[in-house]
Amino acid sequence: MTENISTTEQRPYHHGDLHRAIVGAALDVLSESQSTEFSLRELARRAGVSHNAPYKHFADKRELLGAVSAVGFELLAKRMADATKELDSPRERLAAIARAYVCGGVNNPALYRLMFGGYLGGGQDNGRPAIERTAAHSMKALVVEAICDGALGRHIPNTAANARTIDGAILIFWSQMHGLTLLLVDSLVGPSGKIEELSEGVLQGMLDGLANCIPEVPDGVWVGPPPAE
């Protein structure tokens, strides 16, 4: 969803707004068409600028989609933060984060697949764009905070000594929520009107299991945005 970036509200564009204008147009097209099969020329036309204007800010389409994905992570992090700001219980915060995550993916599957799929990992360095990794780390921090504050039944200090335990908990959490999101998006689980109840049931079952055992990830494994190469 693109409620925080409206191409119509930004017109007319000045040069300093061009980056935002192109990203906003891409978000709109992605949401409307549910496809990344659009051209920079099409975005320029929608934004009301010359067809060469996008290249002043983006070397190619992959760089543009990296910026779009970064905004997707920013919007998702904001949705998560808004969902948890009135909640004191770490377990309730993690449940709210889960609901926000699943609803975000179901509401805009194309943006979700861009953010969490392999398209942007296919560059020459086989890494995700730096702008996207930074935004994704901000989202991950909300999950880490809830887990460390006691969402799994005990406090886990956010220290290097506990890094593999924290990542193990995140891996279980993310696997469950990511899997549920894709099952809902692909209509393998439904109906879509039961998203909150489904995510709540999956989450509570998972949290009960993690309260008994948090498997550490193997040494050298990362969870979340991969490190820059």
Side-chain angles (χ1 to χ4, degrees):
M1 299 178 68
T2 60
E3 63 270 24
N4 288 352
I5 296 185
S6 171
T7 53
T8 55
E9 289 177 1
Q10 292 295 329
R11 290 193 180 98
Y13 302 122
H14 301 291
H15 179 72
D17 297 325
L18 183 57
H19 184 283
R20 178 185 292 271
I22 298 300
V23 171
L27 280 163
D28 287 346
V29 172
L30 189 65
S31 178
E32 293 166 10
S33 68
Q34 288 299 299
S35 171
T36 57
E37 298 301 316
F38 53 79
S39 67
L40 269 65
R41 181 183 290 268
E42 178 184 356
L43 299 183
R45 177 186 57 76
R46 179 177 285 241
V49 297
S50 72
H51 67 272
N52 288 323
Y55 294 99
K56 296 178 181 178
H57 290 276
F58 305 102
D60 52 29
K61 185 176 177 180
R62 181 176 181 270
E63 187 172 303
L64 166 65
L65 290 176
V68 171
S69 179
V71 173
F73 279 109
E74 291 168 0
L75 291 172
L76 184 54
K78 182 180 185 303
R79 191 177 295 117
M80 289 177 171
D82 288 346
T84 59
K85 62 185 178 182
E86 302 296 332
L87 301 175
D88 294 325
S89 164
R91 181 162 173 144
E92 289 180 1
R93 294 206 319 263
L94 193 60
I97 285 171
R99 288 191 295 272
Y101 180 100
V102 175
C103 287
V106 172
N107 288 338
N108 196 339
L111 179 58
Y112 183 84
R113 292 187 194 277
L114 177 65
M115 293 161 60
F116 295 102
Y119 181 90
L120 291 173
Q124 292 182 349
D125 61 358
N126 202 34
R128 308 285 294 201
I131 186 175
E132 185 205 45
R133 288 199 306 270
T134 298
H137 275 297
S138 298
M139 188 198 74
K140 179 182 176 182
L142 294 170
V143 180
V144 171
E145 182 180 22
I147 289 172
C148 292
D149 284 351
L152 307 182
R154 61 185 174 92
H155 288 271
I156 305 174
N158 190 3
T159 63
N162 290 326
R164 288 168 60 189
T165 297
I166 294 169
D167 275 351
I170 291 174
L171 179 59
I172 300 298
F173 172 84
W174 191 14
S175 297
Q176 295 281 350
M177 295 302 106
H178 181 66
L180 178 59
T181 300
L182 291 180
L183 287 171
L184 287 164
V185 164
D186 293 330
S187 298
L188 297 173
V189 172
S192 59
K194 298 288 186 180
I195 291 174
E196 290 204 6
E197 295 94 324
L198 284 166
S199 61
E200 187 72 17
V202 171
L203 178 76
Q204 296 305 328
M206 175 192 62
L207 292 182
D208 289 343
L210 285 173
N212 294 318
C213 177
I214 304 176
E216 291 186 353
V217 298
D219 189 29
V221 170
W222 75 80
V223 178
E229 297 182 358

